[in-house]
Amino acid sequence: MQTDVRSVRAPEESARAFVYRVLSTYIKEMFLHPGEKLAETDVAAELQVSRTPVHDTFSRLEREKMLRPVPRGAVVPPLNTDMIRQTVWMHRTVSQAVLGELYNHRPTTLEPLEHCVAAELEALQGGAIIKMARLHLEFHRTLYSLAGREPVIDVLERNSGDLYRLLRMMESADLWRYVAEQHSAVVQGLAMRDYEMAAHALEAEFDLVKPLLEECRYQRPYFFE
């Protein structure tokens, strides 16, 4: 495990919170690949903390299914294809309901969503593909927030770890530009009170996941179970 700026501990951050933040981020962002093994002693030495917060973090990540216990450590689990498909179905279904709420109870401003799209386009222009999965997540969180449904997206995100890791594997700028275009169409549809336009754009975005999953499973079968 090689550390970088994300591994810098904030002055007010407890050792346990620090270790959890680093490991969960590394797993979600695919800096730690599926199948990679971690040992508590190595992580403690790398992050310059005692073994106790590392042990506690391993236990927490195992409960959250981001690590699997193995003798003398833990391993980053492979992506579960069935879970990804189920997660996409949940997002697709609930997002349509959220769009309906935004259509019936139009928010006072769509600027937060517009800022999300602008951030995506800026990242693409700068070649920062690595940011796109996180910006994609921020767009959907903002969409739910405008509808007052933060608790719903909280639940969805807790079950979306493998979907997020899959999106981190999408390295095509053209595909991410297509996603940004669909997000822009969602905003435009909401602004014009055109539910069908917004709903179609979200459907088009979710439709990308199936071919992406198939391509990634073909290119890196050892990342999946």
Side-chain angles (χ1 to χ4, degrees):
M1 172 179 163
Q2 296 182 345
T3 56
D4 60 11
V5 68
R6 286 170 288 265
S7 306
V8 176
R9 181 176 173 182
E12 72 284 357
E13 196 172 26
S14 70
R16 186 176 287 103
F18 168 57
V19 176
Y20 178 81
R21 175 176 61 81
V22 172
L23 289 184
S24 62
T25 299
Y26 274 43
I27 293 168
K28 292 175 183 175
E29 298 293 339
M30 295 289 283
F31 300 126
L32 290 171
H33 291 162
E36 192 162 345
K37 185 176 179 181
L38 300 175
E40 291 181 8
T41 52
D42 293 341
V43 173
E46 189 74 34
L47 298 182
Q48 299 181 11
V49 297
S50 70
R51 188 171 173 178
T52 298
V54 176
H55 177 78
D56 293 344
T57 297
F58 272 38
S59 297
R60 178 179 175 181
L61 290 173
E62 288 165 10
R63 291 194 301 272
E64 296 176 356
K65 303 187 184 306
M66 283 195 280
L67 283 179
R68 285 182 181 172
V70 295
R72 294 185 296 277
V75 66
V76 179
L79 282 71
N80 186 310
T81 55
D82 290 337
M83 178 60 71
I84 291 172
R85 294 188 184 104
Q86 182 179 351
T87 302
V88 171
W89 179 84
M90 289 189 296
H91 275 281
R92 189 191 295 268
T93 303
V94 180
S95 293
Q96 296 302 330
V98 168
L99 283 180
E101 292 186 21
L102 290 174
Y103 176 81
N104 293 321
H105 306 284
R106 186 177 183 180
T108 56
T109 178
L110 296 174
E111 284 188 11
L113 283 176
E114 293 169 351
H115 289 160
C116 288
V117 174
E120 290 175 341
L121 295 176
E122 181 179 357
L124 285 168
Q125 185 175 3
I129 301 298
I130 194 172
K131 295 181 179 180
M132 293 305 296
R134 176 177 54 81
L135 294 174
H136 170 273
L137 180 64
E138 288 180 5
F139 177 88
H140 283 271
R141 170 161 285 279
T142 302
L143 187 72
Y144 279 65
S145 178
L146 285 176
R149 297 300 181 182
E150 292 93 338
V152 178
I153 193 64
D154 287 342
V155 173
L156 288 174
E157 286 180 10
R158 283 197 292 270
N159 294 282
S160 299
D162 282 0
L163 174 59
Y164 184 85
R165 288 199 290 167
L166 177 70
L167 293 175
R168 277 290 285 111
M169 296 171 66
M170 189 165 81
E171 299 177 344
S172 168
D174 289 338
L175 287 180
W176 277 120
R177 188 169 293 106
Y178 177 80
V179 170
E181 289 171 355
Q182 302 316 308
H183 289 174
S184 179
V186 170
V187 179
Q188 185 178 355
L190 290 173
M192 298 170 59
R193 294 191 58 77
D194 187 337
Y195 173 83
E196 293 299 327
M197 178 180 182
H200 178 76
L202 274 187
E203 285 290 312
E205 174 194 336
F206 291 130
D207 285 344
L208 276 180
V209 176
K210 182 178 179 179
L212 174 63
L213 178 58
E214 292 174 353
E215 178 182 354
C216 289
R217 288 182 65 190
Y218 175 77
Q219 293 180 345
R220 299 174 180 174
Y222 44 85
F223 277 9
F224 297 84
E225 61 181 3

